Amino acid sequence: MKNIVEIKHFKMQFGRKTVIRDLSFEVREGEIFGFLGSNGSGKTTTVRTLLGLYQPTSGELLIAGKKYEPEDVGVVVGYLPEERGLYRKESVIDTMVYFGELKGLKNAREWSLKYLKRVGLIDKADERVEKLSGGQQQKVQLGITIMNNPKLLILDEPTKGFDPVNRRLLMDIIDEEHEKGCAIIMITHYMDEVERLCDRAILLKDGVSRAYGAIEEIRKEFGGKSLDQIFIDVYGEEENE
Amino acid sequence: MNKSTLKVAKFEIMRQVKKWSFWLAVLAMPVLIGVGLLISVLVSAPQEAPTVDESTKIAITDEAGILPKDNPFNLYETKEAGIEAVKEEKIDLYYYIPADFVETKKAEAYRIQDGLGLFDQQTEALKAILAEYVKNEVTDLETLALTGGYTIDDIKFTSDGETSNAIGRAIIPAVFVVAFFIFVCVFGNRMLMTVVEEKENRVSEMILTAVSAKHLIVGKILALLVLGMIQIAVLFIPLVIFAIVSSGSEMMNTILNMIVVDPMSLISCIVLFIFSILLFAGFCTYIGAITPTAKDAAQFIGPIIIGVVLPFYFMQLMLSGEVNGLVEFLTYFPLSAPIALMGRVAVGSISTPGLIIGIIELVVLSVVAIRLTVKTFQKNAINFSVALPKFLKK
């Protein structure tokens, strides 16, 4: 299977602070990949650098063999960042159409209306975003993320703030995109989700990889423990030392 | 032009023109100018036509002996009697001309208060009456010479010996100055906010993975230019229509004949206008890029606008054509350069090399400012809690 993401010897410093020391991993086409680590371990920094929002101190971060450019028509990437927001004063449909057009979606209006109908927001299409509840806004953000058949979805703590209904919706959509052959990188703290959904994963600590590979291989490496326990063990090392 | 830039510009234009607040701001300027003109016409109207008419009962006690004894206003022998007549409303207006009028140059008027009386011109009636009587004593020529009621055609020559028409030449550059000033007033704040909005709404991370910072910023600036043109069109199109409709009138013909279209001056103004707007946009968007919130950005608009309109504070100096250190400073100081340069083109007080240096400065600075904005926005766009640089905090 070909790699859709390749990260080679990635190092990132902000001033004197080293966030990522030497990170290398790949994400394969069509797989669901878990990107794990505690808060501040460098997961979001890695993703932002992969998407060109930060410049790496050194190393290579490639999507489909190239540095990511937002307007490159090569690979469509859907990104649901941890810090989420929308244009509050604009209507739901105008916001979605705008993002759709920027992502090169030709029938952005039709697609958006179809999506809004699916998630039960069709009657809110002409409402201002600020009039929507938090959960409804998250559905709109999710719609924007999966527009234009992405080949790579990057979801940074996707279930954060989602109620159980929206969480189910999100999982359904992840399944659908996966079935279409989309590779998915999931940054999450929920290890049960990783065990259930992910094919492979990487566990980051202090800017280096502490575990990397297929879920079963990682578990085997740590004596058959659950991912939850592995996470606790890795992050508990420091305290024990 | 890049497709993404155009998509951003389209979105930014459409979201503004759909808002009533945009049209309120756009229409406010011509409406305010119209109201201002109307008020000035109303205020100036009584000065041209005194409100005293034939039905106004006037009495004059002339102790100076300017008027003949048998004039119809000579109703009361003494000042006291005249004042009493006003109080009893036997007459509307009473004038007292004292014996030492020539020395003091002061007369007195008495009447019943009517409203605030700020704009009435009853005191003018005495001047009209005295002038009417006195003009019978002198020739028209003497009257004209004494009153100065004539015009002087002031014909000047340029150093090349050509007839100069400084005002006519200044009209078109002045239009550019006015258009730029309006743009700054109406769109300054919007320019600051347009870049900070993505950060404040936490949209920047999502949007920057769909469009590059460069195309996003350039698209936003392009949208503001189009919106600015709409504002200027709303202001000037009615004036052009008015000029066309009243083109047959003597006044309009005089004005139109006075306007001098100097190709070099016109081209200079167009270039200066475009890059002045780009430079101003660069400044404003840069502030938007370095500030974390709209509230932080808003406090910069005042100082920026003061810097831009600084040449207006030294208008007399700028219009005098005198070139000194202050004028040169205003001409090349980045914030004040746009209005100072266009103003000096209007009065013809800038040399060709000076103008070229000014244009180059605007072009270079506007490009640098916009590039800096793009870089800063790219760097700060996802630092939602980014603090202001220390030097700005101070």
Side-chain angles (χ1 to χ4, degrees), chain A residues 106-125:
Chain A
K106 281 182 184 153
N107 52 347
R109 180 166 287 272
E110 289 74 23
W111 189 96
S112 302
L113 289 171
K114 202 172 155 189
Y115 172 82
L116 290 173
K117 197 172 177 185
R118 182 190 167 181
V119 298
L121 290 178
I122 190 70
D123 57 327
K124 306 280 183 191

Side-chain angles (χ1 to χ4, degrees), chain B residues 1 24 38 81 90 191 210 232 245 255 262-263 265 310 370 392:
Chain B
M1 192 167 281
L24 191 70
L38 191 67
K90 288 178 186 169
M191 282 199 164
I232 289 162
V245 169
I255 294 170
D262 173 20
S265 158
L310 211 54
I370 292 170
L392 285 175

Side-chain angles (χ1 to χ4, degrees), chain B residues 190-244:
Chain B
R190 215 181 286 268
M191 282 199 164
L192 277 178
M193 298 309 159
T194 190
V195 174
V196 85
E197 185 193 15
E198 265 76 14
K199 281 190 280 181
E200 188 147 279
N201 284 342
R202 302 285 199 269
V203 192
S204 37
E205 204 169 350
M206 275 179 97
I207 195 114
L208 285 179
T209 53
V211 61
S212 70
K214 180 181 157 192
H215 294 143
L216 181 69
I217 299 287
V218 174
K220 280 171 173 281
I221 290 175
L222 182 67
L224 285 167
L225 294 184
V226 172
L227 294 169
M229 292 306 125
I230 292 174
Q231 164 74 77
I232 289 162
V234 166
L235 194 64
F236 285 104
I237 287 175
L239 291 177
V240 172
I241 292 171
F242 176 74
I244 293 167

